[in-house]
């Protein structure tokens, strides 16, 4: 992607969950309103501002979009599931508690192949993680992003092929 898209995606990533301070429900719209008002109040103008606002507003709605910023934001949001994410309450949830064993998520694009490797420690219950409903969302985000950029994709866990979440 060109530099304008990359920079705009970074802005969207920074602002996309600001509305979650008042709770998860309808947070994407509140985040959108916050970003919109912030840009206006501070007279911030940039080339992809409308795409950023659209991405923030719709980042919880699904993967059927042509907005590459929104797809990148969704992918980044879904991949935010490693050990630093889970709260004490989250660690009580079947499936989600397995995220505490995800030490890193490596992402690279080479030769039109998106490769995502989940680096875990030996304590992970892979089957429980695979059965966790959110992992299908992760898989869908990977597929949607790859499709938009005409990429093939490979998902790995500890460098071994991992198709169960796709």
């Amino acid at each position: 992607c060109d530099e304008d898209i990359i920079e705009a995606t970074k802005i969207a990533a920074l602002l996309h969950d600001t509305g979650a301070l008042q709770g998860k429900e309808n947070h994407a719209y509140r985040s959108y309103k916050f970003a919109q008002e912030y840009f206006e109040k501070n007279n911030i103008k940039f080339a992809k501002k409308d795409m950023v606002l659209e991405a923030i507003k719709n980042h919880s709605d699904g993967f059927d979009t042509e907005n590459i910023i929104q797809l990148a934001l969704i992918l980044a949001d879904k991949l935010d599931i490693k050990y630093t994410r889970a709260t004490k309450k989250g660690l009580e949830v079947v499936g989600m508690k397995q995220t505490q064993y995800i030490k890193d998520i490596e992402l690279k694009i080479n030769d039109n192949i998106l490769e995502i490797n989940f680096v875990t420690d030996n304590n992970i219950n892979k089957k429980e993680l695979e059965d966790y409903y959110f992992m299908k969302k992760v898989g869908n985000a990977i597929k949607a992003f790859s499709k938009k950029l005409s990429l093939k994709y490979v998902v790995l866990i500890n460098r071994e092929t991992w198709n169960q979440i796709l």
Side-chain angles (χ1 to χ4, degrees):
C1 292
D2 65 43
E3 287 299 316
D4 284 348
I5 292 289
I6 293 169
E7 190 66 26
T9 303
K10 290 177 183 179
I11 293 167
L14 289 170
L15 298 173
H16 82 281
D17 273 348
T18 54
L21 292 171
Q22 291 94 25
K24 186 76 172 153
E25 187 174 334
N26 207 23
H27 80 282
Y29 184 75
R30 286 191 306 273
S31 299
Y32 156 76
K33 291 303 288 179
F34 171 84
Q36 185 180 50
E37 291 167 11
Y38 181 79
F39 294 155
E40 287 175 17
K41 179 181 176 185
N42 294 287
N43 198 30
I44 296 172
K45 297 177 179 9
F46 55 97
K48 305 293 185 195
K49 183 169 80 172
D50 290 341
M51 286 179 72
V52 166
L53 290 171
E54 177 187 348
I56 292 170
K57 182 167 61 174
N58 298 315
H59 80 272
S60 293
D61 290 344
F63 312 103
D64 188 22
T65 181
E66 293 298 312
N67 184 336
I68 187 60
I69 296 171
Q70 183 175 331
L71 288 171
L73 181 57
I74 291 169
L75 179 62
D77 201 30
K78 300 300 179 253
L79 287 176
D80 185 17
I81 56 168
K82 62 185 189 179
Y83 73 98
T84 55
R85 179 67 183 232
T87 63
K88 284 187 179 186
K89 282 281 191 199
L91 293 176
E92 297 172 12
V93 176
V94 174
M96 179 184 264
K97 67 183 176 183
Q98 296 306 316
T99 63
Q100 70 183 307
Y101 305 117
I102 299 174
K103 299 305 175 193
D104 199 8
I105 300 170
E106 302 166 339
L107 185 145
K108 67 180 180 179
I109 300 174
N110 284 325
D111 298 323
N112 287 333
I113 300 172
L114 170 63
E115 180 181 292
I116 299 174
N117 181 43
F118 292 81
V119 180
T120 70
D121 70 23
N122 293 331
N123 294 315
I124 196 161
N125 179 331
K126 189 173 142 188
K127 177 73 171 120
E128 182 180 315
L129 181 63
E130 290 166 356
D131 290 343
Y132 178 43
Y133 82 95
F134 191 80
M135 294 309 292
K136 289 297 179 197
K137 290 184 177 187
V138 173
N140 287 336
I142 292 167
K143 291 187 275 191
F145 181 81
S146 297
K147 181 178 179 184
K148 174 65 178 166
L149 291 178
S150 301
L151 300 171
K152 294 179 182 176
Y153 53 87
V154 176
V155 179
L156 308 166
I157 187 165
N158 299 321
R159 294 261 142 239
E160 294 182 13
T161 302
W162 191 31
N163 292 322
Q164 287 79 356
I165 66 166
L166 299 172

